Structures are given as structure tokens and as C-alpha cells.
Amino acid sequence: MTMTRRGLGLGALALGTAAALPFTARAEAFAVRMTGQHRGLLRADGFAIATYHLNFVTSQQATSVASITARTRLAMVMEGPDQALMRRLTNEAYADLRAQMEAAGLALMPVEETRTMTREAGLEELPGNQEIAGIGPGITIGAGLKRGWATFGPDAAPALEALRGVMRGPGLGQIGAISALNPLNRRPEMQGKAALAPSLVLDFARMDAARPGLFGGAASVSGNVAFGLLAESQVSAVKPARMGMGTPGVFRVRDSVFSPTRFADLVQGGAAVRAGPSFSDTIDDSYRAIQRARGDAVVIDVPVWEGLVRDAYRGYNAAVVEAVRSQQG
């Protein structure tokens, strides 16, 4: 069940919401499939889980521009889950992956040995074991989507700087993820083993922006509140070989998976968002810029959302284990 916002032309918005029904927590199976794995990368005598990034999309903005004076914009901001809860869920997700791999008969390098190895290999950890990013300023030509996010790593295997770019969209960050674990090629304890670094991306809304065509039409944006496990979720991996060389690679979630479970209320205009470049800010009597842009607050029912996160990481972890297991023997 989803709640939808749409905007047309200069930004006139209409709100359609589902009937007011009580939230219901229930176990849900996320049918996740992986693509891109191969034996040269994953066939190994054992595995090291270098880190586990859990990425929560926390804000989204869709913009469509018809002309200098005709544009529409829709923003949604997630409210409710705090960082302490997100960190706890990250630790749970990492522990669940280790448990599922061990249950599948896949040998794992001990936790402390793995962290010592990654540090000695020079893999830099994210400061504070987190990255918090909001919707920044910028200029939209045509149509575009922006987002903010919160990334955390488990306490026992902190988030890595080399994987920071994954959430910044297609480009160098995605390419860099392929070789992120290459420093482990020089570690003697990795001979015959493969290293993995999962990065799971969870969303709270589906948004779209469309610009007018060559023969007219309106600039439009739309957004649906929906919990999703995104296709950009991936696993960076490396299989070291002799002479400090190895096989790097990435395997990914084949398709995004969204849940029909209702987990939030939509409050129109209930959240503050960045207004954009400084020249568009409102100036007060003391000549200070005041960002007055408003967005919709997606107010999370935390217990239901928390259950969806657990269902999602279990489904994702199961797909990772199956992808690895299928390349053995």
C-alpha cells in the first residue's frame, strides 16, 4: 500500500493517500537475486568479510524543468529512525551474513583477524564509521533526482573509505568499488581465500521526474512512499593470486524489490529541505540566508520499518550466500 504525491507544470501538487488503516508488522520475504558472480572471483577455500555497508536513503528530491520560469519539484524526507537504531541494524545485518555463510558450510576468517588485516593492508575506515549526506544544492537541466543518505558499518568491521562512492550514483564511485579491496592482494593470509564487502541500499520512496517532450507537455514529478531494497546493492570482492595480483570484481542485485507493507504516514510540507544555490535563499533583516524550502515528511512507524529492514537484509544476505555457494566445488 503506497501514498503518492504528484506535481505538474509550475508545481501544483495533489495528494492521494491510502485509507487510514493501522500499521501492521509482518514477516516479509524479499526475493533477491544476484547477477555478475563467477568462479574466478568467488571459488575459494575461505572468505573474509572486510566490511558491510548498510546504506539508508533518508531524503529524495525530484525536479523537472520546462523553462526558466516553469519547473516543478517534489521532496520527501524520512523521519523517525535514529542513528543508534541504524547502527544496531547494521551490526545485526553483518552478524546475520556471517551466520548464514557458516550455516552454508563456507569457512570465514575470524572477525579480529579480518579487521587487523584490512588495517595493515592500508584500507582506510570512514571517520566515525559513518557517512551522512543530505540533498545538496545544484542546477537541474531537464529532469533529475537527488537524494540524501546515511551509511554505517558494523562495529567489528567498520565502513571503508574505498566504498564511499557507491551511494553517489553511477560513475567513478561505482567503478572504484570494483577495485576497492585490491590492497588485500598483498596479504599472505588471503592466499586461497576471497574477500567480500557487501553494500546494501534501502529506500523509503520511489520518485520520478519527467521533462516535456519536443512537442510540448508539462514538466512533472511523482513520488510513492514504499520500502525498497535497491538494485544498486552490490558486493565488492577480490580473489588474490600470487605476486600481489588478483581478480577484483562486483556482483549485484539483479532487480530492485519493493514491499507492499504500509510503514509510514505522509505529512505534506512537514519537512525542511535545502533550498538550492545560495542565490535562491531568502535573506532576513540581518542579511543571513534562510532556506525556506519545504518538503513532505515521511513519518516512519519505527517497529514496522525495523521489521522490514530485518526482512530485507536477511533476503539480501541469503542471495549473497547463494551466489557464493553456487561457485564452489
Side-chain angles (χ1 to χ4, degrees):
M1 185 174 292
T2 60
M3 292 161 285
T4 303
R5 282 290 302 274
R6 296 185 183 275
L8 298 172
L10 293 173
L13 297 174
L15 173 63
T17 62
L21 298 174
F23 292 102
T24 302
R26 62 186 179 88
E28 190 159 327
F30 281 79
V32 182
R33 296 183 299 166
M34 290 287 180
T35 183
Q37 66 272 20
H38 56 86
R39 285 194 173 185
L41 181 64
L42 294 179
R43 188 173 184 179
D45 298 329
F47 298 88
I49 304 177
T51 187
Y52 190 120
H53 285 208
L54 189 45
N55 311 282
F56 301 92
V57 177
T58 54
S59 58
Q60 291 201 54
Q61 178 177 280
T63 305
S64 182
V65 180
S67 67
I68 294 177
T69 59
R71 69 167 57 215
T72 184
R73 174 170 288 166
L74 175 62
M76 291 184 177
V77 180
M78 185 175 78
E79 295 187 0
D82 59 22
Q83 292 186 20
L85 174 58
M86 291 178 178
R87 288 182 184 274
R88 176 159 58 84
L89 290 167
T90 302
N91 283 324
E92 290 182 15
Y94 167 72
D96 179 77
L97 177 60
R98 292 191 66 91
Q100 289 201 41
M101 291 187 73
E102 290 173 343
L106 300 169
L108 292 180
M109 183 180 290
V111 173
E112 287 301 325
E113 183 180 346
T114 301
R115 187 173 187 185
T116 298
M117 177 186 66
T118 57
R119 285 180 164 179
E120 292 180 351
L123 284 170
E124 186 179 350
E125 297 173 358
L126 275 180
N129 196 17
Q130 67 176 29
E131 180 183 24
I132 308 298
I135 299 172
I139 298 173
T140 300
I141 299 176
L145 301 173
K146 293 182 180 181
R147 66 186 180 185
W149 64 86
T151 294
F152 300 95
D155 296 337
L160 298 178
E161 183 74 33
L163 293 171
R164 178 196 287 266
V166 169
M167 288 299 292
R168 284 172 160 71
L172 294 178
Q174 296 284 344
I175 295 173
I178 296 175
S179 57
L181 301 181
N182 277 0
L184 298 180
N185 282 326
R186 300 185 295 272
R187 300 301 303 181
E189 59 266 61
M190 283 301 299
Q191 293 303 309
K193 298 183 176 65
L196 307 176
S199 183
L200 172 58
V201 184
L202 301 179
D203 210 341
F204 70 97
R206 307 175 75 168
M207 300 193 78
D208 188 41
R211 62 180 299 179
L214 294 176
F215 303 102
S220 65
V221 294
S222 63
N224 297 326
V225 176
F227 183 92
L229 188 162
L230 300 190
E232 63 195 86
S233 302
Q234 61 184 34
V235 182
S236 298
V238 67
K239 172 71 181 299
R242 295 182 179 180
M243 305 299 291
M245 303 295 288
T247 302
V250 169
F251 56 103
R252 308 176 186 279
V253 169
R254 185 185 299 272
D255 302 296
S256 296
V257 183
F258 282 86
S259 166
T261 298
R262 182 170 178 260
F263 68 101
D265 282 321
L266 188 69
V267 180
Q268 185 174 346
V273 297
R274 189 181 181 98
S278 59
F279 59 76
S280 69
D281 294 341
T282 300
I283 306 300
D284 68 7
D285 292 339
S286 299
Y287 306 102
R288 295 173 298 191
I290 304 174
Q291 295 171 344
R292 297 190 181 278
R294 305 297 298 178
D296 295 339
V298 178
V299 182
I300 304 296
D301 183 278
V302 174
V304 177
W305 177 85
E306 187 175 344
L308 286 170
V309 172
R310 289 195 176 96
D311 294 338
Y313 74 58
R314 288 167 183 154
Y316 170 76
N317 289 348
V320 172
V321 172
E322 177 55 28
V324 173
R325 190 198 62 76
S326 69
Q327 303 306 312
Q328 310 308 304

